[in-house]
Amino acid sequence: MENNFMMKKTLFLASLFLFLVPFARAQEVCFAHITDTHVGGSTGAEDLIRTVKDINGQGNINFVILSGDVTEFGSDEELNEAKSILSELNKPWYVVPGNHDSKWSESGNNSFVRVFGCEEFSFEAGGYLFIGTASGPNMRMAPGLVPHEQIVYLDSVLHNMKDPEQPIIFVNHYPLDNSLSNWYKIIDLLKTRNIQADLLGHGHRNILFDFEGIPGVMGRSNLRAKEEIGGYNIVTIKQDTMYYAERTTGVKTHEEWCKIPLQNHHFSEKENNYPRPDYSVNQEYPEITKVWELQDVSDIGTGLASKNGITVYGNAAGAIVALNENTGEYIWQFQTNGKIYSTPAIAKNKVVCASTDNNIYCLNLKTGEKEWSFSTDKSIVASPVIYKNSVYIGSSEGIFRSINLNSGELNWAFSDVKNFVESKPLVYQGTVYFGSWGNTFYALNAKTGKLEWKREKYSNRMLSPAAVWPVAANGKIFIVAPDRYMTALDAKTGEEIWHSKEYSCRESIGISNDGELVYIKNMTEGNVDAFYTSADEQKLAWECKAELGYEIAPSPITESGNLIFVPTTEGIVCAINKTSQQVAWRYKLSNALVNHILPVNKDRIIVSLLDGKVVCLQY
């Protein structure tokens, strides 16, 4: 499988700009700005077909930019359909992915690159250099995040320009504000050159922004929404001014709704007084210290596994990585041919982890050498669990498997899964439980793979119980989902014991080590709530006013000793004292999503974060 995501491609594309010829300024240029087409949604394909036909009939349009959310769900089928429609354009077109293309991607974001050739672009038109990057979040519910390899690409293009003064127009799906967790890194990079405007989507409306002095233009969605016909924007640059005019597809171009002077703001000569992420909370808890910190070469979208002093994770550069738990030093690295969003599992000196290169790998924990691999027909973004010499794992083919841990041979396969599996399954009392992005939660016999029951309560696939790591105790399975309900099911029958939205939550859940309490993050109040697992109704045991705010991180809540560890989208680990039911301490490690908080002994945790950091804290 072609390794499109590797940095070789990124650096190669960037190096092309070493040969850019001097540009001519003040040339008139006209282009179409399309965004948020959502092919796969109810009218997405039809609306885009109309737009393509409309653009083809206008000779004054030089090229087309599509600024993300090309598809509804990022599936291979939707991406291929979108490519087929866009290929009918009779002029050049450039595209970057948005959160709908990356968050719910059955391929772990590999198919976007395979279908469209890349997920970034750079080209010159009318004397301007247009640069576009992907923005995530990749596979995890969180604020947007420009991936590390995309930052490398942007930096390479900017620092290999023939003329550093050439005016730049940047394209990204998200606004360059705190809805993008590393907005400040992008802005600071752009301001090293002559950045003049930012074009974006995401909000589905025509809006003019100011991003720390950089003019930003959000374009309307191409969807018709409540209207009969959709639309897009026609952008004209002339005499150092950019004009935006909305066009109702096939009907008319309306009057210009905004005009932006394009000028050199000389940002590099100005002092930056804009807000940046605040780490002052760490000063309130001096007893919390970093033992070590690692910045990976890529983003990390997986949790952690640890045994015998070795901690293992996967990264978006396709590597399964083993670290010394005490020092953070590399022990070994196993390279696959696809991005990894599968949290490893460890048992019997074996590491099992899946890759989006369609394979499940079993590696020797000490050496990283491959013991076996199991090939499938599609990418795998799901995580394995090991139980009694069997590996249980879902895939993007609509198949859930049990594989022999020692031999790598198939025990059984359940082939009736709707859509794809992302989560880590739970094995409890001889049954394996998991959800899919097909509105369904499954219970299979762990020995035979036979369906014991399934729950289909979700009307919209975006609300599926697919990202939650289920927990169980006292004969009950506990799940939470994007529909913001917390649910308790009878483990044997699937019968609903309770299903409540009183305490609004998403995919983050945890269970106490003794199985007596189940934990969630209350999105409405920003609290952490504990409920009795023995009760036949949602009975609150206690509530901690943790002041988490609107917290959507899907990562699991973990526990060690008397502390409960709560992950957040803003890189903060929140520790709650189980006895006092109060916040014991907080520590900010980054400004990106916390993937996983793994207790490794009585006073240490290891944390992985979406921006590629792995940190060991001592408390």
Side-chain angles (χ1 to χ4, degrees):
M1 178 177 176
E2 187 178 356
N3 197 354
N4 287 310
F5 62 91
M6 297 299 290
M7 292 183 185
K8 290 180 181 179
K9 181 200 71 172
T10 294
L11 295 175
F12 171 75
L13 290 171
S15 68
L16 295 178
F17 286 90
L18 287 168
F19 307 102
L20 282 175
V21 296
F23 57 90
R25 296 185 187 276
Q27 298 176 31
E28 183 170 329
V29 64
C30 178
F31 63 93
H33 179 191
I34 312 173
T35 191
D36 297 88
T37 53
H38 292 273
V39 171
S42 58
T43 67
E46 185 179 344
D47 291 338
L48 184 55
I49 289 170
R50 288 180 176 178
T51 291
V52 167
K53 182 178 180 180
D54 189 52
I55 290 172
N56 285 344
Q58 299 178 71
N60 62 320
I61 295 179
N62 304 118
F63 58 88
V64 178
I65 285 175
L66 206 170
S67 59
D69 278 4
V70 182
T71 65
E72 180 72 1
F73 213 59
S75 70
D76 289 4
E77 180 182 0
E78 291 172 348
L79 290 167
N80 285 321
E81 183 177 17
K83 172 67 179 301
S84 176
I85 297 169
L86 290 167
S87 294
E88 295 298 317
L89 282 165
N90 59 11
K91 52 208 71 187
W93 51 277
Y94 306 89
V95 59
V96 293
N99 57 298
H100 274 256
D101 305 306
S102 60
K103 162 62 189 85
W104 294 279
S105 169
E106 65 185 17
S107 70
N109 309 295
N110 284 316
S111 288
F112 191 97
V113 176
R114 176 181 57 80
V115 171
F116 291 105
C118 59
E119 53 186 352
E120 67 284 314
F121 62 73
S122 305
F123 68 93
E124 189 271 342
Y128 293 85
L129 177 58
F130 290 78
I131 308 174
T133 66
S135 58
N138 290 345
M139 299 306 304
R140 309 302 309 279
M141 177 53 66
L145 176 80
V146 176
H148 183 75
E149 56 266 33
Q150 294 287 298
I151 295 178
V152 171
Y153 170 79
L154 176 61
D155 182 70
S156 297
V157 172
L158 293 176
H159 286 87
N160 285 288
M161 294 171 62
K162 180 80 172 180
D163 183 350
E165 295 300 312
Q166 181 175 14
I168 292 168
I169 295 175
F170 182 65
V171 181
N172 191 265
H173 183 63
Y174 275 87
L176 292 180
D177 57 23
N178 60 10
S179 61
L180 192 69
S181 62
N182 56 356
W183 86 94
Y184 54 98
K185 293 182 180 180
I186 306 307
I187 284 181
D188 289 350
L189 261 180
L190 291 171
K191 284 185 174 181
T192 64
R193 292 292 184 261
N194 182 11
I195 177 65
Q196 299 200 351
D198 172 48
L199 313 184
L200 60 142
H202 193 59
H204 288 216
R205 295 178 295 161
N206 290 328
I207 304 177
L208 184 61
F209 289 92
D210 182 323
F211 299 129
E212 300 187 8
I214 302 172
V217 188
M218 175 185 287
R220 59 151 293 165
S221 168
N222 190 66
L223 298 174
R224 71 188 71 173
K226 297 179 180 180
E227 304 296 327
E228 292 184 5
I229 302 174
Y232 59 100
N233 278 283
I234 293 180
V235 188
T236 305
I237 299 176
K238 56 184 177 181
Q239 297 178 347
D240 297 324
T241 302
M242 182 164 64
Y243 301 87
Y244 257 74
E246 181 177 336
R247 179 167 174 81
T248 301
T249 305
V251 179
K252 69 173 183 177
T253 302
H254 303 272
E255 290 186 7
E256 294 150 352
W257 63 269
C258 79
K259 62 179 181 179
I260 300 171
L262 296 178
Q263 57 185 309
N264 190 336
H265 298 273
H266 300 286
F267 288 119
S268 61
E269 301 172 8
K270 298 176 182 178
E271 188 174 346
N272 188 354
N273 294 316
Y274 295 100
R276 293 293 181 260
D278 182 7
Y279 289 79
S280 62
V281 65
N282 297 349
Q283 299 172 14
E284 300 176 25
Y285 305 98
E287 69 276 18
I288 312 302
T289 58
K290 283 185 188 178
V291 180
W292 53 262
E293 177 177 327
L294 168 76
Q295 176 62 62
D296 197 278
V297 298
S298 179
D299 287 1
I300 296 174
T302 81
L304 305 152
S306 189
K307 189 175 183 181
N308 300 334
I310 300 174
T311 296
V312 186
Y313 66 92
N315 67 19
I320 302 169
V321 181
L323 304 177
N324 183 302
E325 183 180 292
N326 295 315
T327 65
E329 296 175 344
Y330 287 103
I331 298 176
W332 53 258
Q333 179 172 303
F334 180 85
Q335 187 64 47
T336 76
N337 290 316
K339 301 178 183 182
I340 295 177
Y341 295 103
S342 173
T343 295
I346 301 176
K348 297 183 179 180
N349 202 39
K350 301 177 190 294
V351 178
V352 178
C353 189
S355 171
T356 57
D357 68 2
N358 301 10
N359 288 290
I360 303 162
Y361 294 95
C362 179
L363 312 176
N364 183 284
L365 175 62
K366 292 182 179 180
T367 65
E369 294 181 358
K370 185 173 76 171
E371 299 199 356
W372 55 259
S373 62
F374 188 98
S375 179
T376 70
D377 291 331
K378 262 194 172 183
S379 298
I380 304 176
V381 295
S383 300
V385 67
I386 301 172
Y387 179 76
K388 289 187 177 180
N389 205 43
S390 292
V391 177
Y392 297 93
I393 186 169
S395 74
S396 297
E397 313 153 283
I399 299 175
F400 190 93
R401 295 178 174 90
S402 170
I403 300 170
N404 184 285
L405 175 62
N406 292 326
S407 67
E409 295 179 353
L410 181 68
N411 294 325
W412 53 256
F414 176 78
S415 303
D416 196 25
V417 178
K418 294 181 180 179
N419 218 297
F420 73 99
V421 180
E422 173 185 340
S423 72
K424 179 179 177 179
L426 167 72
V427 180
Y428 177 67
Q429 296 181 347
T431 302
V432 57
Y433 303 89
F434 63 95
S436 78
W437 284 112
N439 305 333
T440 309
F441 189 78
Y442 298 88
L444 307 181
N445 184 289
K447 288 185 178 180
T448 67
K450 182 180 178 181
L451 178 68
E452 295 188 349
W453 54 262
K454 63 181 177 179
R455 181 175 189 265
E456 297 176 294
K457 184 140 186 169
Y458 304 87
S459 59
N460 184 320
R461 62 184 179 178
M462 297 294 184
L463 305 180
S464 301
V468 60
W469 292 8
V471 297
N474 289 312
K476 302 180 185 72
I477 306 299
F478 300 93
I479 58 174
V480 287
D483 65 352
R484 306 192 181 186
Y485 281 83
M486 183 181 184
T487 304
L489 304 173
D490 185 284
K492 291 184 178 180
T493 67
E495 181 183 350
E496 192 175 281
I497 298 173
W498 45 261
H499 178 63
S500 173
K501 204 174 185 179
E502 180 179 357
Y503 301 89
S504 180
C505 53
R506 281 195 65 117
E507 296 104 321
S508 183
I509 198 169
I511 196 161
S512 61
N513 291 334
D514 60 11
E516 295 302 310
L517 298 173
V518 60
Y519 308 118
I520 63 165
K521 294 182 290 186
N522 187 324
M523 293 175 64
T524 304
E525 306 294 336
N527 301 331
V528 174
D529 296 325
F531 303 91
Y532 293 109
T533 61
S534 59
D536 289 334
E537 60 184 8
Q538 189 180 32
K539 185 177 179 182
L540 185 68
W542 51 260
E543 184 171 67
C544 173
K545 297 190 180 302
E547 299 179 350
L548 298 177
Y550 183 75
E551 180 49 51
I552 61 173
S555 312
I557 298 169
T558 54
E559 179 181 293
S560 179
N562 202 40
L563 288 181
I564 300 160
F565 300 106
V566 183
T568 69
T569 58
E570 295 184 345
I572 295 174
V573 173
C574 179
I576 296 172
N577 185 294
K578 194 174 175 181
T579 302
S580 68
Q581 296 147 23
Q582 300 294 318
V583 173
W585 51 265
R586 306 175 198 268
Y587 200 91
K588 186 172 177 66
L589 298 167
S590 169
N591 206 53
L593 169 78
V594 174
N595 290 314
H596 195 199
I597 305 168
L598 181 68
V600 290
N601 58 38
K602 64 179 181 180
D603 61 357
R604 285 189 182 184
I605 55 174
I606 299 178
V607 185
S608 72
L609 298 106
L610 193 58
D611 63 355
K613 282 189 177 181
V614 184
V615 184
C616 179
L617 288 183
Q618 182 161 313
Y619 54 91

